[in-house]
Amino acid sequence: MKTPLWNSSNDQPKATRTAMIELLNQQLADALDLGLQSKQAHWNVKGPAFIALHELFDDAAATISKFADEIAERTVALGGFAQGTVQTIAEGTRLTAYPLHILTGYEHVQALAAALAHYAESTRTAIETATKTGDAGTADLFTGISRDIDDLLWKVEAHAATKS
Ligand SMILES: [Fe+2]
């Protein structure tokens, strides 16, 4: 979604910043949805691994909230407007809607792992796009997020791992 700019003195070309702002806002919508999905899992999970998963899903939400904040703030640092309202999340997210009535640890692990894997993939694409567009700072931000997401996906998936 295109948004206007404010008169920042950031020296990068306007076309670069506009492209990055659009990319950042897309990743922000997905990240905010992902954070809410982690909270949904945190609140509703049940079963023998309750306490481990309850705490893991809350840690995931905290990590996601931290980098969503960094994405939003880079959007503004580049001269854009961060779009983090409920309406922009609902309109912009590319994640599958989190199931409302799943219950067991296994179900929540599967649902959240799928969302994390989707976000990991789009983050890797975002690194590539930022690199090709010539914004090393945004590429670096997404690179750090990519490592965080890989780490979270491992910790969630470890609860349902089998030999492949
Ligand atoms: Fe809580």
Side-chain angles (χ1 to χ4, degrees), residues 95-114:
L95 301 184
T96 302
Y98 199 81
L100 294 177
H101 301 124
I102 56 174
L103 188 145
T104 66
Y106 185 78
E107 289 172 306
H108 282 289
V109 162
Q110 295 298 318
L112 196 60

Side-chain angles (χ1 to χ4, degrees), residues 39 42-43 58:
K39 276 292 193 184
H42 164 71
W43 293 321
D58 210 25

Side-chain angles (χ1 to χ4, degrees), residues 53 105-106 109-110 113 153-164:
L53 289 173
Y106 185 78
V109 162
Q110 295 298 318
L153 179 57
W154 156 51
K155 287 172 179 164
V156 170
E157 277 191 319
H159 288 268
T162 55
K163 279 188 185 173
S164 70

